[in-house]
């Protein structure tokens, strides 16, 4: 697969988290090769960025809006509510975003923000081997309260570790789903969204 550029999508909705994602974002823009587009999915009214009262938050909001207004900057803000959407975690996947790259990396505004090595050097290369799947999904940190759920979580983790440990040499009798190391442009797969029809 010859894809070398990607879009970074960050879901956000509050000015209280601007510092938490803008500071790492500046480093990403300077040091992550191939990142040609950044989409901030803003799930609050535009006025939450334009009428910030806290000084530190206003500095970051002003910077974010300035980047959005600069046509030469790779960042743009997708204002979900102005696009007829509600505040929804799934907006990051909505076809109205129209990312310009095939490869898309997702972050929430509260992180975690992984390293270039994890995201670009490993994640993008892994995705290029099978571009029809999501790679490296980060699960929610779920804290179970009941003993039954704690035991089920431990069992699932142990089973996952056992599969990897038993197949270290790749010669176990465990069967895995078939792996298709092709890009969509080779297989001619095409995805059409019918969400709005």
């Amino acid at each position: 697969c010859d894809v070398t550029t990607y879009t970074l999508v960050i879901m956000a909705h509050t000015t209280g988290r601007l510092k938490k994602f803008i500071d790492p974002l500046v480093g990403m823009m300077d040091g992550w090769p191939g990142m040609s587009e950044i989409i901030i999915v803003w799930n609050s009214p535009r006025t939450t960025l334009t009428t910030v009262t806290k000084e530190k938050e206003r500095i970051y909001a002003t910077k974010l809006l300035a980047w959005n207004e600069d046509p030469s900057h790779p960042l743009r803000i997708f204002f979900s509510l102005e696009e007829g959407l509600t505040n929804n975690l799934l907006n990051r996947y909505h076809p109205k975003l129209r990312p310009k790259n095939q490869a898309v990396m997702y972050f929430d505004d509260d992180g975690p923000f992984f390293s270039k090595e994890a995201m670009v050097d490993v994640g993008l290369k892994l995705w290029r081997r099978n571009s029809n799947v999501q790679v490296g999904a980060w699960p929610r940190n779920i804290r179970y309260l009941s003993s039954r759920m704690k035991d089920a979580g431990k069992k699932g983790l142990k089973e996952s570790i056992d599969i990897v440990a038993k197949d270290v040499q790749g010669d176990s009798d465990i069967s895995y789903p078939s792996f298709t190391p092709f890009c969509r442009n080779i297989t001619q797969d095409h995805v059409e969204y019918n969400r709005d029809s």
Side-chain angles (χ1 to χ4, degrees):
C1 183
D2 58 358
V3 172
T4 58
T5 60
Y6 54 91
T7 298
L8 184 69
V9 174
I10 299 177
M11 175 77 80
H13 73 283
T14 177
T15 57
R17 293 182 179 169
L18 289 176
K19 177 180 176 19
K20 185 160 185 163
F21 79 84
I22 288 180
D23 286 347
L25 186 59
V26 171
M28 292 174 194
M29 288 187 287
D30 294 338
W32 286 26
M35 183 170 52
S36 64
E37 179 182 40
I38 303 161
I39 304 172
I40 305 298
V41 178
W42 192 258
N43 273 345
S44 288
R46 183 185 296 253
T47 55
T48 58
L49 287 173
T50 59
T51 60
V52 181
T53 56
K54 294 180 181 176
E55 180 62 25
K56 288 184 180 182
E57 292 177 12
R58 185 170 50 247
I59 292 169
Y60 284 100
T62 302
K63 180 185 286 192
L64 189 64
L65 289 167
W67 286 341
N68 182 57
E69 293 169 10
D70 180 355
S72 67
H73 198 281
L75 184 139
R76 66 182 167 93
I77 304 172
F78 178 84
F79 291 98
S80 299
L81 304 181
E82 294 176 11
E83 295 293 331
L85 306 176
T86 60
N87 180 355
N88 188 313
L89 289 172
L90 295 177
N91 287 347
R92 72 187 83 201
Y93 304 112
H94 200 284
K96 285 185 176 182
L97 290 180
R98 301 203 187 287
K100 65 181 183 180
N101 295 296
Q102 287 184 52
V104 181
M105 297 182 188
Y106 296 94
F107 286 113
D108 282 332
D109 59 357
D110 59 349
F113 300 102
F114 298 106
S115 68
K116 177 189 84 64
E117 291 76 18
M119 296 299 291
V120 181
D121 298 347
V122 175
L124 181 62
K125 286 181 183 176
L126 184 58
W127 177 85
R128 288 169 52 181
R129 292 182 182 177
N130 187 359
S131 62
N132 291 325
V133 299
Q134 183 173 344
V135 174
W138 185 258
R140 293 281 180 186
N141 183 2
I142 300 171
R143 292 177 178 87
Y144 298 115
L145 301 178
S146 74
S147 295
R148 182 185 68 81
M149 290 306 295
K150 287 178 185 178
D151 291 342
K154 287 177 189 175
K155 181 182 178 212
L157 177 60
K158 184 181 179 327
E159 288 173 355
S160 297
I161 293 170
D162 287 347
I163 288 172
V164 173
K166 288 177 185 173
D167 196 31
V168 170
Q169 302 301 320
D171 56 3
S172 76
D173 59 353
I174 299 171
S175 64
Y176 298 97
S178 59
F179 175 73
T180 310
F182 296 114
C183 263
R184 284 176 291 215
N185 62 341
I186 296 171
T187 62
Q188 300 303 310
D189 292 341
H190 181 72
V191 177
E192 290 187 12
Y193 293 102
N194 63 357
R195 177 177 171 156
D196 296 322
S197 56

